[in-house]
PDB file of all heavy atoms in Angstrom:
ATOM      1  N   ARG D   1       0.843  -1.191   0.000  1.00  0.00           N
ATOM      2  CA  ARG D   1       0.000   0.000   0.000  1.00  0.00           C
ATOM      3  C   ARG D   1       0.882   1.246   0.000  1.00  0.00           C
ATOM      4  O   ARG D   1       2.022   1.218   0.462  1.00  0.00           O
ATOM      5  CB  ARG D   1      -0.911   0.023   1.232  1.00  0.00           C
ATOM      6  CG  ARG D   1      -1.944  -1.080   1.268  1.00  0.00           C
ATOM      7  CD  ARG D   1      -2.777  -1.040   2.542  1.00  0.00           C
ATOM      8  NE  ARG D   1      -3.793  -2.097   2.506  1.00  0.00           N
ATOM      9  CZ  ARG D   1      -3.584  -3.347   2.892  1.00  0.00           C
ATOM     10  NH1 ARG D   1      -2.395  -3.684   3.377  1.00  0.00           N
ATOM     11  NH2 ARG D   1      -4.544  -4.242   2.808  1.00  0.00           N
ATOM     12  N   THR D   2       0.341   2.347  -0.458  1.00  0.00           N
ATOM     13  CA  THR D   2       1.063   3.619  -0.398  1.00  0.00           C
ATOM     14  C   THR D   2       1.108   4.114   1.047  1.00  0.00           C
ATOM     15  O   THR D   2       0.109   4.062   1.760  1.00  0.00           O
ATOM     16  CB  THR D   2       0.377   4.657  -1.299  1.00  0.00           C
ATOM     17  OG1 THR D   2       0.504   4.230  -2.669  1.00  0.00           O
ATOM     18  CG2 THR D   2       1.017   6.027  -1.148  1.00  0.00           C
ATOM     19  N   ILE D   3       2.272   4.576   1.459  1.00  0.00           N
ATOM     20  CA  ILE D   3       2.451   5.136   2.800  1.00  0.00           C
ATOM     21  C   ILE D   3       2.483   6.648   2.665  1.00  0.00           C
ATOM     22  O   ILE D   3       3.302   7.200   1.922  1.00  0.00           O
ATOM     23  CB  ILE D   3       3.749   4.615   3.442  1.00  0.00           C
ATOM     24  CG1 ILE D   3       3.685   3.097   3.615  1.00  0.00           C
ATOM     25  CG2 ILE D   3       3.982   5.304   4.784  1.00  0.00           C
ATOM     26  CD1 ILE D   3       4.999   2.482   4.069  1.00  0.00           C
ATOM     27  N   ARG D   4       1.597   7.323   3.378  1.00  0.00           N
ATOM     28  CA  ARG D   4       1.502   8.782   3.286  1.00  0.00           C
ATOM     29  C   ARG D   4       1.773   9.418   4.655  1.00  0.00           C
ATOM     30  O   ARG D   4       1.103   9.115   5.637  1.00  0.00           O
ATOM     31  CB  ARG D   4       0.130   9.215   2.788  1.00  0.00           C
ATOM     32  CG  ARG D   4      -0.038  10.746   2.693  1.00  0.00           C
ATOM     33  CD  ARG D   4      -1.406  11.118   2.138  1.00  0.00           C
ATOM     34  NE  ARG D   4      -1.549  10.690   0.764  1.00  0.00           N
ATOM     35  CZ  ARG D   4      -2.707  10.708   0.088  1.00  0.00           C
ATOM     36  NH1 ARG D   4      -3.823  11.133   0.706  1.00  0.00           N
ATOM     37  NH2 ARG D   4      -2.760  10.292  -1.159  1.00  0.00           N
ATOM     38  N   LEU D   5       2.758  10.292   4.677  1.00  0.00           N
ATOM     39  CA  LEU D   5       3.059  11.093   5.860  1.00  0.00           C
ATOM     40  C   LEU D   5       2.301  12.406   5.788  1.00  0.00           C
ATOM     41  O   LEU D   5       2.255  13.047   4.727  1.00  0.00           O
ATOM     42  CB  LEU D   5       4.564  11.377   5.926  1.00  0.00           C
ATOM     43  CG  LEU D   5       5.017  12.406   6.968  1.00  0.00           C
ATOM     44  CD1 LEU D   5       4.885  11.834   8.375  1.00  0.00           C
ATOM     45  CD2 LEU D   5       6.454  12.847   6.708  1.00  0.00           C
ATOM     46  N   ALA D   6       1.723  12.821   6.900  1.00  0.00           N
ATOM     47  CA  ALA D   6       1.073  14.127   6.981  1.00  0.00           C
ATOM     48  C   ALA D   6       1.498  14.802   8.279  1.00  0.00           C
ATOM     49  O   ALA D   6       1.305  14.247   9.366  1.00  0.00           O
ATOM     50  CB  ALA D   6      -0.448  13.982   6.934  1.00  0.00           C
ATOM     51  N   LEU D   7       2.115  15.970   8.156  1.00  0.00           N
ATOM     52  CA  LEU D   7       2.449  16.787   9.320  1.00  0.00           C
ATOM     53  C   LEU D   7       1.448  17.934   9.359  1.00  0.00           C
ATOM     54  O   LEU D   7       1.361  18.718   8.410  1.00  0.00           O
ATOM     55  CB  LEU D   7       3.889  17.301   9.227  1.00  0.00           C
ATOM     56  CG  LEU D   7       4.962  16.213   9.081  1.00  0.00           C
ATOM     57  CD1 LEU D   7       6.349  16.832   9.106  1.00  0.00           C
ATOM     58  CD2 LEU D   7       4.827  15.150  10.163  1.00  0.00           C
ATOM     59  N   TRP D   8       0.717  18.005  10.469  1.00  0.00           N
ATOM     60  CA  TRP D   8      -0.478  18.834  10.517  1.00  0.00           C
ATOM     61  C   TRP D   8      -0.189  20.249  10.990  1.00  0.00           C
ATOM     62  O   TRP D   8       0.670  20.497  11.815  1.00  0.00           O
ATOM     63  CB  TRP D   8      -1.516  18.199  11.433  1.00  0.00           C
ATOM     64  CG  TRP D   8      -1.813  16.768  11.128  1.00  0.00           C
ATOM     65  CD1 TRP D   8      -1.526  15.683  11.899  1.00  0.00           C
ATOM     66  CD2 TRP D   8      -2.437  16.266   9.938  1.00  0.00           C
ATOM     67  NE1 TRP D   8      -1.951  14.531  11.282  1.00  0.00           N
ATOM     68  CE2 TRP D   8      -2.503  14.855  10.068  1.00  0.00           C
ATOM     69  CE3 TRP D   8      -2.943  16.858   8.783  1.00  0.00           C
ATOM     70  CZ2 TRP D   8      -3.061  14.039   9.101  1.00  0.00           C
ATOM     71  CZ3 TRP D   8      -3.494  16.045   7.817  1.00  0.00           C
ATOM     72  CH2 TRP D   8      -3.550  14.661   7.973  1.00  0.00           C
ATOM     73  N   ASP D   9      -1.005  21.143  10.504  1.00  0.00           N
ATOM     74  CA  ASP D   9      -0.998  22.555  10.877  1.00  0.00           C
ATOM     75  C   ASP D   9      -2.182  22.804  11.822  1.00  0.00           C
ATOM     76  O   ASP D   9      -3.166  22.053  11.813  1.00  0.00           O
ATOM     77  CB  ASP D   9      -1.152  23.382   9.592  1.00  0.00           C
ATOM     78  CG  ASP D   9      -1.045  24.875   9.812  1.00  0.00           C
ATOM     79  OD1 ASP D   9      -0.447  25.285  10.814  1.00  0.00           O
ATOM     80  OD2 ASP D   9      -1.562  25.627   8.967  1.00  0.00           O
ATOM     81  N   GLY D  10      -2.082  23.833  12.649  1.00  0.00           N
ATOM     82  CA  GLY D  10      -3.229  24.304  13.420  1.00  0.00           C
ATOM     83  C   GLY D  10      -3.772  23.343  14.458  1.00  0.00           C
ATOM     84  O   GLY D  10      -4.915  23.510  14.900  1.00  0.00           O
ATOM     85  N   GLU D  11      -2.974  22.367  14.898  1.00  0.00           N
ATOM     86  CA  GLU D  11      -3.467  21.453  15.930  1.00  0.00           C
ATOM     87  C   GLU D  11      -3.735  22.184  17.226  1.00  0.00           C
ATOM     88  O   GLU D  11      -4.725  21.903  17.919  1.00  0.00           O
ATOM     89  CB  GLU D  11      -2.438  20.333  16.145  1.00  0.00           C
ATOM     90  CG  GLU D  11      -2.910  19.202  17.062  1.00  0.00           C
ATOM     91  CD  GLU D  11      -2.590  19.433  18.541  1.00  0.00           C
ATOM     92  OE1 GLU D  11      -1.927  20.432  18.877  1.00  0.00           O
ATOM     93  OE2 GLU D  11      -3.021  18.605  19.377  1.00  0.00           O
ATOM     94  N   GLU D  12      -2.857  23.122  17.567  1.00  0.00           N
ATOM     95  CA  GLU D  12      -2.975  23.804  18.853  1.00  0.00           C
ATOM     96  C   GLU D  12      -4.227  24.671  18.944  1.00  0.00           C
ATOM     97  O   GLU D  12      -4.676  24.992  20.045  1.00  0.00           O
ATOM     98  CB  GLU D  12      -1.732  24.665  19.117  1.00  0.00           C
ATOM     99  CG  GLU D  12      -0.433  23.890  19.218  1.00  0.00           C
ATOM    100  CD  GLU D  12      -0.346  23.026  20.467  1.00  0.00           C
ATOM    101  OE1 GLU D  12      -1.348  22.941  21.214  1.00  0.00           O
ATOM    102  OE2 GLU D  12       0.705  22.423  20.697  1.00  0.00           O
ATOM    103  N   GLN D  13      -4.810  25.046  17.826  1.00  0.00           N
ATOM    104  CA  GLN D  13      -6.029  25.852  17.848  1.00  0.00           C
ATOM    105  C   GLN D  13      -7.300  24.992  17.780  1.00  0.00           C
ATOM    106  O   GLN D  13      -8.400  25.526  17.814  1.00  0.00           O
ATOM    107  CB  GLN D  13      -6.027  26.860  16.688  1.00  0.00           C
ATOM    108  CG  GLN D  13      -5.037  27.988  16.849  1.00  0.00           C
ATOM    109  CD  GLN D  13      -3.607  27.559  16.629  1.00  0.00           C
ATOM    110  OE1 GLN D  13      -3.264  27.016  15.579  1.00  0.00           O
ATOM    111  NE2 GLN D  13      -2.751  27.793  17.608  1.00  0.00           N
ATOM    112  N   GLY D  14      -7.139  23.661  17.668  1.00  0.00           N
ATOM    113  CA  GLY D  14      -8.319  22.796  17.628  1.00  0.00           C
ATOM    114  C   GLY D  14      -8.282  21.766  16.522  1.00  0.00           C
ATOM    115  O   GLY D  14      -9.314  21.511  15.885  1.00  0.00           O
ATOM    116  N   LEU D  15      -7.133  21.159  16.262  1.00  0.00           N
ATOM    117  CA  LEU D  15      -6.969  20.105  15.248  1.00  0.00           C
ATOM    118  C   LEU D  15      -7.365  20.592  13.856  1.00  0.00           C
ATOM    119  O   LEU D  15      -7.889  19.823  13.039  1.00  0.00           O
ATOM    120  CB  LEU D  15      -7.774  18.849  15.609  1.00  0.00           C
ATOM    121  CG  LEU D  15      -7.708  18.316  17.040  1.00  0.00           C
ATOM    122  CD1 LEU D  15      -8.397  16.963  17.143  1.00  0.00           C
ATOM    123  CD2 LEU D  15      -6.302  18.238  17.565  1.00  0.00           C
ATOM    124  N   PHE D  16      -7.102  21.858  13.572  1.00  0.00           N
ATOM    125  CA  PHE D  16      -7.572  22.439  12.316  1.00  0.00           C
ATOM    126  C   PHE D  16      -7.037  21.708  11.086  1.00  0.00           C
ATOM    127  O   PHE D  16      -7.764  21.433  10.137  1.00  0.00           O
ATOM    128  CB  PHE D  16      -7.171  23.917  12.223  1.00  0.00           C
ATOM    129  CG  PHE D  16      -7.942  24.834  13.135  1.00  0.00           C
ATOM    130  CD1 PHE D  16      -7.605  26.175  13.217  1.00  0.00           C
ATOM    131  CD2 PHE D  16      -9.002  24.383  13.895  1.00  0.00           C
ATOM    132  CE1 PHE D  16      -8.308  27.040  14.046  1.00  0.00           C
ATOM    133  CE2 PHE D  16      -9.709  25.228  14.729  1.00  0.00           C
ATOM    134  CZ  PHE D  16      -9.359  26.569  14.804  1.00  0.00           C
ATOM    135  N   GLY D  17      -5.736  21.432  11.072  1.00  0.00           N
ATOM    136  CA  GLY D  17      -5.133  20.842   9.875  1.00  0.00           C
ATOM    137  C   GLY D  17      -5.659  19.461   9.575  1.00  0.00           C
ATOM    138  O   GLY D  17      -6.059  19.162   8.439  1.00  0.00           O
ATOM    139  N   SER D  18      -5.675  18.580  10.574  1.00  0.00           N
ATOM    140  CA  SER D  18      -6.125  17.206  10.333  1.00  0.00           C
ATOM    141  C   SER D  18      -7.636  17.149  10.109  1.00  0.00           C
ATOM    142  O   SER D  18      -8.112  16.411   9.240  1.00  0.00           O
ATOM    143  CB  SER D  18      -5.726  16.304  11.497  1.00  0.00           C
ATOM    144  OG  SER D  18      -6.315  16.739  12.711  1.00  0.00           O
ATOM    145  N   TYR D  19      -8.396  17.926  10.873  1.00  0.00           N
ATOM    146  CA  TYR D  19      -9.850  17.903  10.723  1.00  0.00           C
ATOM    147  C   TYR D  19     -10.269  18.377   9.330  1.00  0.00           C
ATOM    148  O   TYR D  19     -11.113  17.748   8.671  1.00  0.00           O
ATOM    149  CB  TYR D  19     -10.493  18.763  11.809  1.00  0.00           C
ATOM    150  CG  TYR D  19     -11.987  18.945  11.673  1.00  0.00           C
ATOM    151  CD1 TYR D  19     -12.832  17.850  11.545  1.00  0.00           C
ATOM    152  CD2 TYR D  19     -12.553  20.219  11.677  1.00  0.00           C
ATOM    153  CE1 TYR D  19     -14.201  18.020  11.424  1.00  0.00           C
ATOM    154  CE2 TYR D  19     -13.925  20.386  11.560  1.00  0.00           C
ATOM    155  CZ  TYR D  19     -14.744  19.287  11.435  1.00  0.00           C
ATOM    156  OH  TYR D  19     -16.091  19.449  11.310  1.00  0.00           O
ATOM    157  N   ASN D  20      -9.675  19.455   8.876  1.00  0.00           N
ATOM    158  CA  ASN D  20     -10.032  19.950   7.545  1.00  0.00           C
ATOM    159  C   ASN D  20      -9.497  19.043   6.440  1.00  0.00           C
ATOM    160  O   ASN D  20     -10.145  18.901   5.393  1.00  0.00           O
ATOM    161  CB  ASN D  20      -9.532  21.382   7.371  1.00  0.00           C
ATOM    162  CG  ASN D  20     -10.412  22.389   8.080  1.00  0.00           C
ATOM    163  OD1 ASN D  20     -11.477  22.758   7.601  1.00  0.00           O
ATOM    164  ND2 ASN D  20      -9.986  22.821   9.266  1.00  0.00           N
ATOM    165  N   TYR D  21      -8.365  18.398   6.663  1.00  0.00           N
ATOM    166  CA  TYR D  21      -7.867  17.411   5.704  1.00  0.00           C
ATOM    167  C   TYR D  21      -8.877  16.272   5.571  1.00  0.00           C
ATOM    168  O   TYR D  21      -9.207  15.834   4.453  1.00  0.00           O
ATOM    169  CB  TYR D  21      -6.520  16.874   6.170  1.00  0.00           C
ATOM    170  CG  TYR D  21      -5.887  15.868   5.238  1.00  0.00           C
ATOM    171  CD1 TYR D  21      -5.043  16.272   4.212  1.00  0.00           C
ATOM    172  CD2 TYR D  21      -6.125  14.500   5.383  1.00  0.00           C
ATOM    173  CE1 TYR D  21      -4.467  15.352   3.350  1.00  0.00           C
ATOM    174  CE2 TYR D  21      -5.556  13.572   4.532  1.00  0.00           C
ATOM    175  CZ  TYR D  21      -4.727  14.000   3.517  1.00  0.00           C
ATOM    176  OH  TYR D  21      -4.154  13.080   2.667  1.00  0.00           O
ATOM    177  N   VAL D  22      -9.368  15.789   6.702  1.00  0.00           N
ATOM    178  CA  VAL D  22     -10.356  14.718   6.698  1.00  0.00           C
ATOM    179  C   VAL D  22     -11.633  15.165   5.996  1.00  0.00           C
ATOM    180  O   VAL D  22     -12.231  14.415   5.209  1.00  0.00           O
ATOM    181  CB  VAL D  22     -10.624  14.256   8.145  1.00  0.00           C
ATOM    182  CG1 VAL D  22     -11.914  13.460   8.231  1.00  0.00           C
ATOM    183  CG2 VAL D  22      -9.456  13.440   8.659  1.00  0.00           C
ATOM    184  N   LYS D  23     -12.064  16.397   6.259  1.00  0.00           N
ATOM    185  CA  LYS D  23     -13.260  16.903   5.565  1.00  0.00           C
ATOM    186  C   LYS D  23     -13.016  17.047   4.066  1.00  0.00           C
ATOM    187  O   LYS D  23     -13.897  16.755   3.249  1.00  0.00           O
ATOM    188  CB  LYS D  23     -13.665  18.255   6.148  1.00  0.00           C
ATOM    189  CG  LYS D  23     -14.257  18.187   7.550  1.00  0.00           C
ATOM    190  CD  LYS D  23     -15.060  19.437   7.874  1.00  0.00           C
ATOM    191  CE  LYS D  23     -14.221  20.694   7.795  1.00  0.00           C
ATOM    192  NZ  LYS D  23     -15.019  21.903   8.131  1.00  0.00           N
ATOM    193  N   ASN D  24     -11.828  17.503   3.701  1.00  0.00           N
ATOM    194  CA  ASN D  24     -11.531  17.706   2.277  1.00  0.00           C
ATOM    195  C   ASN D  24     -11.442  16.398   1.508  1.00  0.00           C
ATOM    196  O   ASN D  24     -11.786  16.338   0.327  1.00  0.00           O
ATOM    197  CB  ASN D  24     -10.216  18.480   2.119  1.00  0.00           C
ATOM    198  CG  ASN D  24     -10.308  19.904   2.606  1.00  0.00           C
ATOM    199  OD1 ASN D  24     -11.395  20.463   2.712  1.00  0.00           O
ATOM    200  ND2 ASN D  24      -9.174  20.497   2.939  1.00  0.00           N
ATOM    201  N   HIS D  25     -10.989  15.345   2.175  1.00  0.00           N
ATOM    202  CA  HIS D  25     -10.697  14.095   1.471  1.00  0.00           C
ATOM    203  C   HIS D  25     -11.671  12.959   1.756  1.00  0.00           C
ATOM    204  O   HIS D  25     -11.880  12.102   0.889  1.00  0.00           O
ATOM    205  CB  HIS D  25      -9.290  13.606   1.826  1.00  0.00           C
ATOM    206  CG  HIS D  25      -8.190  14.430   1.249  1.00  0.00           C
ATOM    207  ND1 HIS D  25      -7.637  14.174   0.003  1.00  0.00           N
ATOM    208  CD2 HIS D  25      -7.530  15.504   1.739  1.00  0.00           C
ATOM    209  CE1 HIS D  25      -6.682  15.059  -0.235  1.00  0.00           C
ATOM    210  NE2 HIS D  25      -6.599  15.878   0.788  1.00  0.00           N
ATOM    211  N   PHE D  26     -12.258  12.920   2.972  1.00  0.00           N
ATOM    212  CA  PHE D  26     -12.890  11.673   3.376  1.00  0.00           C
ATOM    213  C   PHE D  26     -14.370  11.752   3.733  1.00  0.00           C
ATOM    214  O   PHE D  26     -15.083  10.765   3.586  1.00  0.00           O
ATOM    215  CB  PHE D  26     -12.141  11.087   4.583  1.00  0.00           C
ATOM    216  CG  PHE D  26     -10.679  10.884   4.353  1.00  0.00           C
ATOM    217  CD1 PHE D  26      -9.759  11.254   5.329  1.00  0.00           C
ATOM    218  CD2 PHE D  26     -10.198  10.335   3.174  1.00  0.00           C
ATOM    219  CE1 PHE D  26      -8.396  11.068   5.136  1.00  0.00           C
ATOM    220  CE2 PHE D  26      -8.841  10.149   2.959  1.00  0.00           C
ATOM    221  CZ  PHE D  26      -7.930  10.524   3.943  1.00  0.00           C
ATOM    222  N   ILE D  27     -14.865  12.892   4.227  1.00  0.00           N
ATOM    223  CA  ILE D  27     -16.235  12.908   4.746  1.00  0.00           C
ATOM    224  C   ILE D  27     -16.796  14.322   4.715  1.00  0.00           C
ATOM    225  O   ILE D  27     -16.073  15.299   4.935  1.00  0.00           O
ATOM    226  CB  ILE D  27     -16.272  12.351   6.186  1.00  0.00           C
ATOM    227  CG1 ILE D  27     -17.716  12.170   6.672  1.00  0.00           C
ATOM    228  CG2 ILE D  27     -15.457  13.196   7.139  1.00  0.00           C
ATOM    229  CD1 ILE D  27     -17.819  11.429   8.010  1.00  0.00           C
ATOM    230  N   ASP D  28     -18.092  14.420   4.422  1.00  0.00           N
ATOM    231  CA  ASP D  28     -18.799  15.691   4.497  1.00  0.00           C
ATOM    232  C   ASP D  28     -19.258  15.894   5.943  1.00  0.00           C
ATOM    233  O   ASP D  28     -19.995  15.073   6.492  1.00  0.00           O
ATOM    234  CB  ASP D  28     -20.004  15.687   3.549  1.00  0.00           C
ATOM    235  CG  ASP D  28     -20.692  17.034   3.470  1.00  0.00           C
ATOM    236  OD1 ASP D  28     -21.202  17.492   4.516  1.00  0.00           O
ATOM    237  OD2 ASP D  28     -20.740  17.616   2.377  1.00  0.00           O
ATOM    238  N   SER D  29     -18.825  16.993   6.571  1.00  0.00           N
ATOM    239  CA  SER D  29     -19.094  17.192   7.991  1.00  0.00           C
ATOM    240  C   SER D  29     -20.549  17.521   8.284  1.00  0.00           C
ATOM    241  O   SER D  29     -20.986  17.409   9.431  1.00  0.00           O
ATOM    242  CB  SER D  29     -18.204  18.306   8.546  1.00  0.00           C
ATOM    243  OG  SER D  29     -18.476  19.537   7.898  1.00  0.00           O
TER     244      SER D  29
END
């Protein structure tokens, strides 16, 4: 499988980077 690294932005303000990445790629919030 493809291995993908993601270093997130905006975690300290409320998981902004990972949450928006998930919304952009995986699920409609």
Side-chain angles (χ1 to χ4, degrees):
R1 294 178 178 86
T2 294
I3 298 172
R4 179 178 294 170
L5 170 71
L7 303 184
W8 308 113
D9 185 23
E11 188 270 356
E12 298 291 6
Q13 289 74 56
L15 314 189
F16 288 175
S18 61
Y19 174 53
N20 283 282
Y21 181 89
V22 163
K23 289 200 301 181
N24 292 339
H25 289 270
F26 304 136
I27 188 171
D28 186 298
S29 62

